[in-house]
Amino acid sequence: MANSTVSYALPPLPEYRLTPLPPLVPGVPDKFLTVLLPVIAYWILSMFFHWIDVKDYFSRYRLHTPAEVLKRNHVSRWEVVRDVLVQQVIQTAVGLAIGMTEPDDVFGKENYDIAVWAQRVRMCQRAIPGILALIGVNASGLSKNLVISHPVLAAAVSGGQYSRSSDIAGSNSSGRIFTPAFADWEVLVAQAVYWFIVPAMQFALGIFIVDTWQYFLHRAMHMNKWLYTTFHSRHHRLYVPYAFGALYNHPFEGFLLDTLGAGIAFKVAGMSTRQGMWFFTCSTIKTVDDHCGYALPWDPLQHLTSNNAGYHDVHHQSWGIKTNFSQPFFTFWDRILGTVWTGGDVSARYERARVAAQRKVDNESTFTVTHSDAAESKTQGLEPYENDLRDASHIRSIPVELQQPVPPQGKAEHQAAGSREQVLEDRNNGGIIVLQEEAQEEKEARTLLRKANRRKTGTSISQSDSLKGLRDRVTGSMHGRTGGIIGMESSR
């Protein structure tokens, strides 16, 4: 009696049973951990940078001296801690509210979802014969030629007809019943898509949304005078950023710019609670690192993207406050819309960190703290700063010695004029005193740099003289030894 075979268009999907997902940390619900981890990460990383500040470790990589932190910032550390804690309370409350809108986490459906992706892989194969026909290839004939040597490839070329891939579904009076099954490679691809590719795309989408949200709102905070003086200028009381001041903001700005933006990214990207846990924590770590005040050559976060402590430090200076709006991850909006700083490492304060970091960079490219090339100032168009130099009415009455450092000619000159104009217009948190303090620190930084260069030159000369003296002593010793040998030979 012949066997009877039943064929389905696609392999069937497995059954599943949903079970509540145990918390990652026993006794702590994942939804609570999601809002708790960013706060913990913020203070652990901030205190690490504060510790190396106090201990004066890695001082050669500092963007600013400890004296600058004390003299140029217009807010006390206690006020910074207080406002950061206020923002984190708001952040936690909003995070818990968002968590209440999320379904409870369950597991048990993973194999079903992987099978769904495997079905999609199978359906994609159905398009192969038509695609091959467009270029004049007979899929059926090609499949027959490959069936013995490469049966899996032959099945894919034929449109996903896997005659050998089948499972026994049961039997009846006519014989066993077979149902189609997935090929091994289809399952592997589906697992890769489910476990890696989809989460990576969700994370990337979340990053894009956060970067886009923060760029345009942050830029608006600087381009609109009322928004800047009412809300954002509070953050710019920190003219010398440090790690635990990363979230020092007006509470409304902190909610709008950071908390709400991250929440929208989480929702739109369709992340799970645990994905959100890592997304929020990584965003927090990156924000703290961008405000740390160090150009560390071995810090991976400062090299994965060009948006790092040096890049963001420009935005906190009087001459760059209307540039480098991007945060916290990438700088593509600054570069696309022409708001990236184009003046290079214009400040002498960056030179020490630049030289120290360059020694650690083992490549042929020139290291810059600000990730900016001063040559771009003359080659790039002036947009959107074409009117800033003309409209900077307050800056015209300021002596040149207070407009330090001096930016290179071109776009950077317009950027610096517009930035300093904004500082001068801010009567509460800015004003001419900011330019006076910065000019004084720039003068001191140049003095220290000249002394360091002289010591370096003196050391090089001293080393050269020492090497020359050593060479003379060795040469003289060799001459004396040669004479002795010759004398001995002659006496013989």
Side-chain angles (χ1 to χ4, degrees):
M1 183 179 293
N3 289 340
S4 175
T5 302
V6 178
S7 177
Y8 296 93
L10 291 171
L13 299 174
E15 296 181 353
Y16 63 88
R17 176 177 295 178
L18 297 178
T19 305
L21 183 68
L24 193 63
V25 177
V28 182
D30 281 354
K31 291 181 181 179
F32 184 72
L33 191 62
T34 299
V35 298
L36 188 62
L37 271 180
V39 176
I40 294 173
Y42 184 93
W43 289 109
I44 288 177
L45 187 58
S46 294
M47 290 302 100
F48 166 75
F49 281 114
H50 181 65
W51 176 67
I52 65 175
D53 271 344
V54 172
K55 295 295 184 180
D56 200 30
Y57 296 140
F58 312 117
S59 58
R60 61 188 179 278
Y61 300 122
R62 272 185 174 152
L63 300 178
H64 301 274
T65 65
E68 281 187 88
V69 176
L70 296 175
K71 291 162 61 177
R72 290 187 56 212
N73 285 333
H74 295 184
V75 60
S76 69
R77 291 181 183 267
W78 157 243
E79 291 175 294
V80 170
V81 171
R82 180 199 63 196
D83 284 10
V84 168
L85 290 175
V86 168
Q87 175 163 336
Q88 289 179 332
V89 169
I90 297 172
Q91 173 184 297
T92 301
V94 173
L96 290 174
I98 292 175
M100 292 175 64
T101 67
E102 291 292 304
D104 292 333
D105 294 321
V106 294
F107 72 101
K109 195 184 175 185
E110 293 80 9
N111 289 335
Y112 176 89
D113 291 332
I114 290 171
V116 169
W117 278 107
Q119 281 190 344
R120 292 168 180 167
V121 173
R122 178 67 62 88
M123 287 187 287
C124 288
Q125 295 171 64
R126 292 179 177 177
I128 294 178
I131 295 173
L132 291 176
L134 292 175
I135 58 175
V137 177
N138 186 326
S140 177
L142 180 61
S143 177
K144 290 179 181 179
N145 293 334
L146 295 171
V147 71
I148 295 177
S149 58
H150 300 87
V152 175
L153 181 59
V157 168
S158 65
Q161 299 179 19
Y162 292 87
S163 58
R164 296 185 182 181
S165 295
S166 60
D167 290 329
I168 299 175
S171 62
N172 57 22
S173 58
S174 302
R176 291 182 295 178
I177 301 175
F178 291 86
T179 60
F182 295 111
D184 291 341
W185 76 271
E186 291 176 314
V187 175
L188 289 174
V189 170
Q191 289 174 336
V193 170
Y194 180 78
W195 291 113
F196 301 105
I197 297 177
V198 169
M201 292 178 66
Q202 289 175 298
F203 203 88
L205 177 59
I207 287 175
F208 175 79
I209 293 171
V210 166
D211 277 354
T212 302
W213 179 273
Q214 293 207 12
Y215 173 84
F216 286 101
L217 279 178
H218 188 193
R219 181 173 173 175
M221 291 279 181
H222 281 274
M223 297 305 176
N224 184 284
K225 183 177 179 180
W226 180 81
L227 288 175
Y228 180 78
T229 56
T230 306
F231 301 111
H232 191 55
S233 66
R234 178 181 294 202
H235 181 68
H236 282 283
R237 292 174 183 173
L238 290 176
Y239 286 92
V240 180
Y242 49 79
F244 65 84
L247 291 184
Y248 171 67
N249 297 303
H250 187 284
F252 176 73
E253 181 195 347
F255 163 74
L256 184 65
L257 201 66
D258 298 312
T259 305
L260 188 58
I264 290 173
F266 168 75
K267 281 290 192 180
V268 173
M271 297 182 187
S272 66
T273 300
R274 290 190 178 178
Q275 284 177 299
M277 186 186 301
W278 299 115
F279 178 70
F280 297 142
T281 304
C282 288
S283 298
T284 299
I285 291 172
K286 186 66 172 62
T287 300
V288 172
D289 195 78
D290 289 348
H291 289 81
C292 71
Y294 287 84
L296 299 173
W298 39 261
D299 182 353
L301 292 179
Q302 299 204 14
H303 299 284
L304 290 174
T305 73
S306 56
N307 196 349
N308 54 28
Y311 185 90
H312 191 67
D313 190 79
V314 169
H315 179 72
H316 279 261
Q317 307 310 306
S318 68
W319 42 268
I321 207 168
K322 289 182 71 175
T323 67
N324 291 12
F325 300 122
S326 292
Q327 56 183 41
F329 292 104
F330 294 92
T331 63
F332 53 86
W333 284 121
D334 269 327
R335 300 190 183 281
I336 291 172
L337 299 179
T339 53
V340 66
W341 169 252
T342 59
D345 290 350
V346 65
S347 174
R349 291 189 292 273
Y350 295 144
E351 183 65 16
R352 184 181 182 186
R354 186 194 69 78
V355 172
Q358 179 65 50
R359 296 189 187 118
K360 296 290 184 180
V361 178
D362 189 20
N363 54 39
E364 297 179 356
S365 61
T366 301
F367 179 88
T368 60
V369 172
T370 61
H371 290 270
S372 171
D373 184 358
E376 294 178 352
S377 182
K378 291 185 177 180
T379 59
Q380 285 195 11
L382 298 179
E383 300 81 6
Y385 304 97
E386 61 271 20
N387 299 323
D388 282 44
L389 189 60
R390 181 198 66 193
D391 297 340
S393 57
H394 295 83
I395 199 71
R396 294 173 192 152
S397 60
I398 304 300
V400 176
E401 56 267 22
L402 294 185
Q403 299 182 44
Q404 299 296 323
V406 178
Q409 292 183 342
K411 186 173 184 175
E413 190 176 16
H414 287 251
Q415 291 175 322
S419 296
R420 285 172 172 149
E421 184 72 9
Q422 183 165 84
V423 171
L424 291 171
E425 290 177 345
D426 182 14
R427 301 301 182 187
N428 295 326
N429 301 315
I432 192 172
I433 188 173
V434 173
L435 271 64
Q436 291 172 338
E437 292 168 347
E438 193 163 27
Q440 179 61 31
E441 294 297 334
E442 185 69 19
K443 181 179 178 181
E444 292 176 6
R446 289 176 180 172
T447 301
L448 291 173
L449 189 60
R450 283 195 295 269
K451 290 180 179 179
N453 288 337
R454 282 199 296 268
R455 285 197 300 268
K456 183 178 178 181
T457 303
T459 302
S460 299
I461 294 173
S462 176
Q463 289 176 346
S464 176
D465 291 343
S466 298
L467 289 173
K468 183 177 182 296
L470 177 62
R471 184 186 62 204
D472 293 342
R473 289 194 298 272
V474 169
T475 304
S477 177
M478 289 294 291
H479 280 303
R481 184 178 300 173
T482 302
I485 293 173
I486 293 174
M488 289 173 62
E489 287 177 344
S490 61
S491 64
R492 285 178 184 174

